[in-house]
Amino acid sequence: MAYAALVSLTNTINQTLNSNLYSISPEEKQQITPLLEYVTPFQDFLDKFPDKFNSLEGRVRDLANAAEDIVEYLVLEKVYPTPDEDHQSEKHELAQLQNVIKEIDLIDKEVKEIEDTSRYKSIQRGAHSSSSTSTAPLIHKDAMVGLEEYVLDLKDRICGEPSKKLYVIPICGMGGIGKTTLARSVYDDQLIMEKFEIRVWVTISQDYSAERILSNILECLKEFNKDEKKKIDNDVSVHQILMGRRYLVVMDDMWSTEAWDIVRGVLPDNGNGSRVMLTTRLYGVASYPDPSCKLYELGLLDADQSWNLLKQKVFVDEDCPRELESIGKEIAGRCKGLPLAIVVIAGLLSTVRQDRASWKDIAENVKLGDTVEHGQIGDILSLSYAHLPQYLRPCFLYMGSFPEDHEIQAQKLIKLWVAEGFLRYPIDSESFEKVGEECLEDLIKRNLVLITKRKRNGGVKSCRLHDLMRDFCIRKAHESKFFLSKFTFDVAYRYFEEINFTERIKNQRRVSINSSYLSYLSRCDCSTIHSIKCSTYRVVNLECLKRVRLLRVFDAEVVDVECSPFLAQLYELFHLRYLDIRFSHGIPTTLSKLQNLQTLIIREQTHGFGKASDIWLSWGMPQLRHVYFYGTIHFHDPNEVSCSLESLQTLSYVSHWSCRERVLKMIPNLKKLKIDCSGRVHSGAPACLDDMGHLHRLENLEIYAGHCVRSRPKYYRFTFPSMLKKLTLKALEFPWNDIVVVGSLPNLQVLKLKGCTCDGGTWETREGAFPELEVLLVEDSRFEHWITESIHFPRLKRLLLYSCSFLNEIPNDIGEIPPLELIEIKGYAKKSLVESAELIREEQEDMGNNTLQVVCIPKVTSSGSFYSDEYFEDEGYDDQDL
């Protein structure tokens, strides 16, 4: 993966040359700087001529990786010099760097020759270049399983739409999902054939030209030429032939909006109900002809549909033997709902004996990865990958390093992309995270990534890869030495005597492995490894870290790290950028040595042995962007030499004693903050939360008082920043009148009050409060009366009342809020509270408001109250993004 290596090298050089953390001499800078003169032109060449770079791909990748390793080792020697050999080591690294630059210079000359040839070479693409007519694939009726409703709807839309104007109908979905099958079924339908005088099918594909498209359309039109006196040839325009006739044009497999521009210019709008259907994997292409047009987005087949399709493809008009049904359904399930995968597997089943033993053998031994590599699925996926811009390829392949069927948290994925160095430096005011979000959305629009959950604001919360996509990513990653997967380690473990494990790991950049294989790394040459991702739970030690001095990413979310003498080595990994681990004891109190760390996630151990120790964050960690810690985070008072942590965006949980003006001014770009107020309060003084107004970019704030009632502060002074959009108050004690401060926040959209003890039994809101609030969650809060009016919550969409056992009723005015969509009552509740919610629903229905949903899930106790035995979470509005 040359492009990823070049981008990472650029980032490393820029950071090395521009940072004050390293004692790089002017002479060393002079020898490192020339690398940039080569890297940028190589990246530009890859963007412009990706197909011309294939012969140089491996050489450029290896040289870029080698150059980056040399620069990083040079920096590492400045921080942790090799005893008695520090100067010799630096000279050796610089000598190696000069050798690498000489090799890169030779490649640069080859690149320029290719570039000059490509720039001035004239490539003719005449209509004669394609002698065959562009015809649609033959589709059997049994391939329509799962698409029947789409066919009926499409036919109704094509024939029943009253509009006489030229109308475009886009069909969108991932490769192999059935777009062409659906379009062809409609195209060949008898009703459609009778409706349209002319029907044209043209396959666009990636390798298209205006001449070829128009020539193929003319070839297709010849069969509809009823006027033998008027010969159709290339001298007659498509526009002339279609003028005045009702036509249906299908543009199959479109990859570019330019292809639509070519065809649109020759399609007359005859005002007679002519239609155009197009199929594409790209949302941007689908919506381009008419952004307001409804997209037909195809989804995966369910279990029954998958089995029916497999059964029909294998047995055609015959019945499936009963003894094969269970194993057949298992095989169909392996295809994960992708029609093309089912068709390929059905082809394999058709070649073997129809008995259980033969089918079981296929179920156990035939992997979808084999069909990806050798069948038409591989061709389809390769086509999608080849169409990806260079900067998206490493982001896509990297997703294959996650476990099979794993739901990938979008924010975690983006943090890893940043740490790995895949993302180019942002332009203007964009952050790395913003660039990452755009990359993920682009992959989703290309139907390479599936969304599993969205956030309240429409952003992507989690996603996943179809198994076929993941198999493809792993194969591609292995071919390009992008990462080494768990599968390779499994093979090495199984045949350890026959396979040289050391050779497999040599020169690898990234490994994705079972945690049980960590110990193997301690036996191998791991000097080039920059990333270790672990899967499967296990208690491990960190002996392997002594051999991975250039490690950037250590993602061990599912691993419990035991106390060991190697734990200290974790904090000597100077180049470490991403650390995600689980352990509760033996954590160093300061992390100042990790000066390049961007993301720090320290989780509670799976077996949960108490609360983690406190840690102190250092002002000497300028790259820090996100910190999540199971214990409590502290900052020392900054001094004159302290560096501002301007990149820091997420901080959870920090001690409220650290939330002082001097500290907060040093973290000016914080967007998400969780504060732990459970620390001991001296002399009854209020918790120090009066300086929060200095965080001008803070959007998400949580304040937590802890489980121990004795240690909770009794009073608080609140000063909130005006940009705040989401506020969570947990286990706090304060008068209800203090909520007035919260209600005055001009941008607040989500408010959660969880387990708060508010003095006074009545909550009375005021006019002008909560102007932008959309979600209100009140959980286990002790108020009896609620006095409010609809104008006090003008934008409220969701009201969630969980275990509000003292509240008598919901004010009737709540039902008058126009945007309100949901009232939800769960947990302990009085009968009168539930009845008030039902009354609001009935009154709104009587007034014609059928959009308001009221959900009540309680049970009656002997005391007449309601309760629920479920543990409820307001899913969809939680804070988890790590």
Side-chain angles (χ1 to χ4, degrees):
M1 178 64 64
Y3 192 88
L6 291 170
V7 172
S8 184
L9 175 59
T10 302
N11 293 343
T12 297
I13 293 174
N14 285 328
Q15 183 175 332
T16 302
L17 296 179
N18 299 325
S19 175
N20 296 324
L21 293 177
Y22 322 123
S23 303
I24 303 295
S25 68
E27 178 187 359
E28 290 166 339
K29 288 185 177 181
Q30 190 175 4
Q31 296 189 58
I32 294 173
T33 302
L35 282 170
L36 290 175
E37 299 176 6
Y38 296 101
V39 172
T40 302
F42 282 176
Q43 288 179 251
D44 293 341
F45 180 83
L46 265 172
D47 282 329
K48 295 177 182 177
F49 309 103
D51 56 326
K52 305 290 184 182
F53 203 72
N54 292 337
S55 60
L56 304 175
E57 171 86 21
R59 290 167 60 193
V60 171
R61 177 199 64 221
D62 292 343
L63 286 171
N65 287 338
E68 186 174 39
D69 287 352
I70 292 170
V71 173
E72 290 187 332
Y73 269 118
L74 185 65
V75 169
L76 195 60
E77 287 295 330
K78 301 291 183 181
V79 183
Y80 299 111
T82 306
D84 302 324
E85 299 179 3
D86 49 339
H87 298 297
Q88 292 298 323
S89 178
E90 290 173 17
K91 291 180 180 179
H92 175 68
E93 299 296 342
L94 290 173
Q96 282 189 314
L97 185 61
Q98 291 306 309
N99 292 333
V100 169
I101 290 176
K102 289 179 182 179
E103 291 292 324
I104 292 177
D105 186 63
L106 294 176
I107 294 180
D108 182 59
K109 293 177 181 178
E110 294 182 47
V111 166
K112 288 178 178 177
E113 291 179 5
I114 296 173
E115 197 169 23
D116 290 340
T117 302
S118 300
R119 183 178 292 116
Y120 296 108
K121 185 178 179 180
S122 175
I123 301 176
Q124 299 295 328
R125 288 182 177 179
H128 60 277
S129 63
S130 178
S131 57
S132 61
T133 303
S134 178
T135 58
L138 295 176
I139 304 295
H140 296 286
K141 64 179 182 180
D142 56 16
M144 289 307 302
V145 173
L147 299 177
E148 297 88 348
E149 292 184 7
Y150 287 105
V151 172
L152 294 175
D153 192 30
L154 268 175
K155 285 166 55 178
D156 181 68
R157 189 169 172 187
I158 291 173
C159 300
E161 175 65 45
S163 174
K164 296 298 183 181
K165 295 179 65 176
L166 183 63
Y167 199 79
V168 180
I169 303 170
I171 304 171
C172 196
M174 66 187 295
I177 201 71
K179 302 181 298 296
T180 299
T181 301
L182 174 60
R184 185 65 186 187
S185 296
V186 174
Y187 181 85
D188 286 337
D189 185 84
Q190 187 62 37
L191 177 62
I192 299 297
M193 296 171 67
E194 295 173 358
K195 176 76 173 181
F196 296 94
E197 180 182 357
I198 291 179
R199 294 177 299 118
V200 176
W201 184 289
V202 57
T203 302
I204 307 297
S205 299
Q206 292 187 81
D207 185 19
Y208 69 88
S209 66
E211 294 84 357
R212 183 175 299 175
I213 291 174
L214 297 178
S215 175
N216 288 340
I217 291 177
L218 283 172
E219 286 293 321
C220 194
L221 285 172
K222 287 181 180 179
E223 64 178 285
F224 294 99
N225 181 28
K226 298 179 181 178
D227 185 2
E228 296 181 354
K229 296 180 181 179
K230 187 175 181 180
K231 182 181 178 181
I232 294 181
D233 55 33
N234 291 345
D235 294 327
V236 180
S237 72
V238 173
H239 190 276
Q240 285 177 292
I241 300 170
L242 296 179
M243 181 63 71
R245 297 182 176 183
R246 184 187 295 121
Y247 58 85
L248 170 66
V249 174
V250 177
M251 300 177 65
D252 188 37
D253 198 23
M254 282 184 59
W255 290 86
S256 169
T257 57
E258 182 185 8
W260 168 252
D261 292 333
I262 293 170
V263 176
R264 178 66 187 92
V266 301
L267 299 181
D269 188 351
N270 299 319
N272 59 2
S274 294
R275 300 287 182 259
V276 176
M277 278 197 299
L278 61 87
T279 71
T280 180
R281 304 181 196 183
L282 310 178
Y283 284 96
V285 173
S287 60
Y288 179 75
D290 184 1
S292 64
C293 187
K294 173 188 173 184
L295 298 182
Y296 278 82
E297 184 179 358
L298 298 189
L300 300 172
L301 302 181
D302 61 27
D304 290 338
Q305 292 170 335
S306 297
W307 167 235
N308 287 335
L309 179 57
L310 181 71
K311 183 170 54 176
Q312 292 174 5
K313 291 298 294 181
V314 174
F315 299 102
V316 193
D317 297 324
E318 299 177 1
D319 294 329
C320 170
R322 182 171 299 178
E323 66 268 20
L324 296 181
E325 284 191 7
S326 60
I327 190 68
K329 290 178 180 179
E330 179 184 338
I331 294 172
R334 285 173 174 262
C335 298
K336 303 297 184 181
L338 188 65
L340 187 54
I342 296 170
V343 171
V344 173
I345 295 297
L348 292 175
L349 292 173
S350 299
T351 63
V352 301
R353 294 178 58 183
Q354 292 184 7
D355 58 45
R356 185 170 178 81
S358 300
W359 280 40
K360 186 175 181 180
D361 184 64
I362 289 180
E364 292 176 349
N365 298 302
V366 175
K367 306 253 182 217
L368 292 183
D370 296 335
T371 63
V372 169
E373 186 172 0
H374 300 296
Q376 54 179 319
I377 295 178
D379 295 338
I380 288 175
L381 299 186
S382 295
L383 193 60
S384 289
Y385 179 76
H387 191 68
L388 275 179
Q390 290 289 332
Y391 68 88
L392 284 179
R393 293 186 182 187
C395 297
F396 173 57
L397 291 189
Y398 192 74
M399 297 181 73
S401 66
F402 287 87
E404 187 176 7
D405 294 325
H406 183 72
E407 187 172 308
I408 305 169
Q409 296 295 323
Q411 292 303 313
K412 173 173 181 171
L413 176 65
I414 292 170
K415 290 177 178 67
L416 285 166
W417 284 347
V418 175
E420 294 280 7
F422 298 154
L423 304 181
R424 294 180 289 189
Y425 269 94
I427 58 175
D428 300 328
S429 60
E430 285 189 327
S431 65
F432 273 112
E433 285 76 12
K434 180 64 175 176
V435 174
E437 289 172 3
E438 292 171 354
C439 289
L440 181 56
E441 286 286 0
D442 201 347
L443 290 172
I444 290 169
K445 289 178 180 178
R446 293 170 182 271
N447 282 298
L448 295 175
V449 177
L450 304 173
I451 298 176
T452 53
K453 290 179 184 176
R454 280 200 179 273
K455 297 179 181 177
R456 181 183 56 85
N457 62 5
V460 180
K461 185 173 183 178
S462 60
C463 57
R464 70 176 180 89
L465 288 180
H466 191 282
D467 285 359
L468 291 179
M469 288 293 186
R470 181 176 176 273
D471 290 341
F472 175 82
C473 285
I474 292 174
R475 181 171 62 86
K476 268 293 182 186
H478 286 183
E479 288 175 359
S480 58
K481 290 188 177 180
F482 184 64
F483 70 74
L484 194 64
S485 73
K486 166 184 171 295
F487 173 75
T488 303
F489 282 82
D490 287 340
V491 173
Y493 177 78
R494 191 177 305 167
Y495 306 104
F496 193 80
E497 297 297 328
E498 304 166 16
I499 296 178
N500 191 329
F501 189 85
T502 302
E503 286 300 314
R504 284 189 175 274
I505 204 72
K506 189 176 181 180
N507 295 324
Q508 290 293 334
R509 210 72 178 166
R510 303 169 189 88
V511 293
S512 176
I513 58 177
N514 275 342
S515 52
S516 57
Y517 295 145
L518 278 175
S519 58
Y520 282 124
L521 298 183
S522 61
R523 311 175 193 174
C524 306
D525 177 9
C526 302
S527 58
T528 61
I529 290 181
H530 281 56
S531 176
I532 298 176
K533 293 176 90 279
C534 298
S535 60
T536 69
Y537 168 73
R538 186 181 176 89
V539 177
V540 300
N541 65 46
L542 301 178
E543 182 180 0
C544 65
L545 297 184
K546 64 185 180 182
R547 292 183 176 270
V548 284
R549 299 185 69 200
L550 300 184
L551 194 66
R552 288 184 183 180
V553 171
F554 188 49
D555 180 12
E557 175 186 345
V558 296
V559 174
D560 281 352
V561 179
E562 65 182 15
C563 295
S564 73
F566 303 103
L567 189 59
Q569 294 183 8
L570 179 66
Y571 297 96
E572 294 183 2
L573 295 173
F574 181 75
H575 292 292
L576 196 65
R577 301 178 184 178
Y578 183 100
L579 176 61
D580 188 347
I581 52 177
R582 292 178 183 269
F583 59 81
S584 300
H585 303 287
I587 303 172
T589 57
T590 180
L591 308 173
S592 58
K593 293 182 179 180
L594 301 178
Q595 297 179 25
N596 287 290
L597 196 65
Q598 297 173 354
T599 298
L600 172 64
I601 307 173
I602 301 180
R603 306 171 188 266
E604 178 187 9
Q605 280 186 318
T606 305
H607 41 68
F609 289 148
K611 187 183 178 190
S613 307
D614 293 357
I615 60 171
W616 291 79
L617 290 184
S618 169
W619 294 109
M621 304 170 70
Q623 306 300 322
L624 206 58
R625 309 178 74 83
H626 308 279
V627 180
Y628 177 89
F629 181 52
Y630 174 64
T632 304
I633 302 166
H634 303 273
F635 284 99
H636 293 288
D637 271 338
N639 52 43
E640 293 76 12
V641 296
S642 296
C643 299
S644 297
L645 302 183
E646 295 188 359
S647 297
L648 191 60
Q649 299 176 33
T650 307
L651 193 56
S652 171
Y653 283 89
V654 66
S655 166
H656 68 94
W657 294 113
S658 290
C659 295
R660 299 182 297 276
E661 179 179 359
R662 291 187 63 190
V663 172
L664 298 181
K665 284 185 175 181
M666 300 290 283
I667 48 177
N669 296 313
L670 205 63
K671 293 183 178 179
K672 181 176 180 179
L673 174 63
K674 294 185 179 182
I675 302 174
D676 182 358
C677 290
S678 61
R680 188 178 300 277
V681 180
H682 301 285
S683 303
C688 181
L689 301 173
D690 215 16
D691 296 323
M692 303 299 296
H694 294 289
L695 297 176
H696 300 295
R697 297 196 174 186
L698 191 67
E699 297 181 356
N700 191 330
L701 173 64
E702 178 179 314
I703 302 174
Y704 172 59
H707 295 292
C708 182
V709 177
R710 293 181 180 179
S711 66
R712 290 183 187 176
K714 293 292 183 183
Y715 303 102
Y716 301 83
R717 293 198 306 262
F718 293 120
T719 301
F720 299 117
S722 60
M723 286 296 295
L724 206 61
K725 295 181 179 179
K726 182 175 181 179
L727 175 63
T728 303
L729 304 177
K730 298 174 68 174
L732 271 66
E733 297 183 24
F734 53 83
W736 274 111
N737 289 338
D738 284 3
I739 297 295
V740 173
V741 178
V742 177
S744 64
L745 293 172
N747 297 296
L748 191 66
Q749 298 174 4
V750 178
L751 173 61
K752 300 180 180 181
L753 304 174
K754 295 187 172 185
C756 294
T757 302
C758 304
D759 295 341
T762 301
W763 179 19
E764 183 173 0
T765 60
R766 301 178 183 179
E767 186 175 354
F770 305 107
E772 298 294 328
L773 194 69
E774 296 181 4
V775 178
L776 174 60
L777 166 66
V778 184
E779 179 179 358
D780 192 23
S781 294
R782 298 171 177 267
F783 70 115
E784 301 176 21
H785 307 287
W786 186 10
I787 302 174
T788 189
E789 299 179 22
S790 60
I791 59 174
H792 296 183
F793 297 94
R795 297 185 181 275
L796 191 66
K797 294 181 179 179
R798 291 175 172 247
L799 172 62
L800 312 172
L801 301 174
Y802 297 168
S803 295
C804 292
S805 55
F806 290 84
L807 184 59
N808 292 317
E809 62 180 11
I810 301 173
N812 200 56
D813 261 25
I814 290 291
E816 303 296 328
I817 301 174
L820 191 63
E821 300 171 351
L822 174 67
I823 297 176
E824 188 170 77
I825 299 174
K826 292 181 180 179
Y828 288 94
K830 287 185 177 181
K831 185 176 181 180
S832 59
L833 178 63
V834 176
E835 290 175 345
S836 67
E838 291 293 345
L839 180 61
I840 289 174
R841 180 185 59 79
E842 293 172 2
E843 289 181 352
Q844 291 301 308
E845 283 185 356
D846 292 341
M847 296 171 62
N849 179 10
N850 296 317
T851 60
L852 177 59
Q853 183 181 7
V854 175
V855 177
C856 301
I857 315 178
K859 294 181 181 178
V860 180
T861 67
S862 58
S863 61
S865 295
F866 284 80
Y867 77 99
S868 170
D869 11 87
E870 298 181 42
Y871 174 75
F872 295 105
E873 276 188 327
D874 48 324
E875 189 171 349
Y877 303 98
D878 60 347
D879 296 330
Q880 183 185 7
D881 62 1
L882 295 174

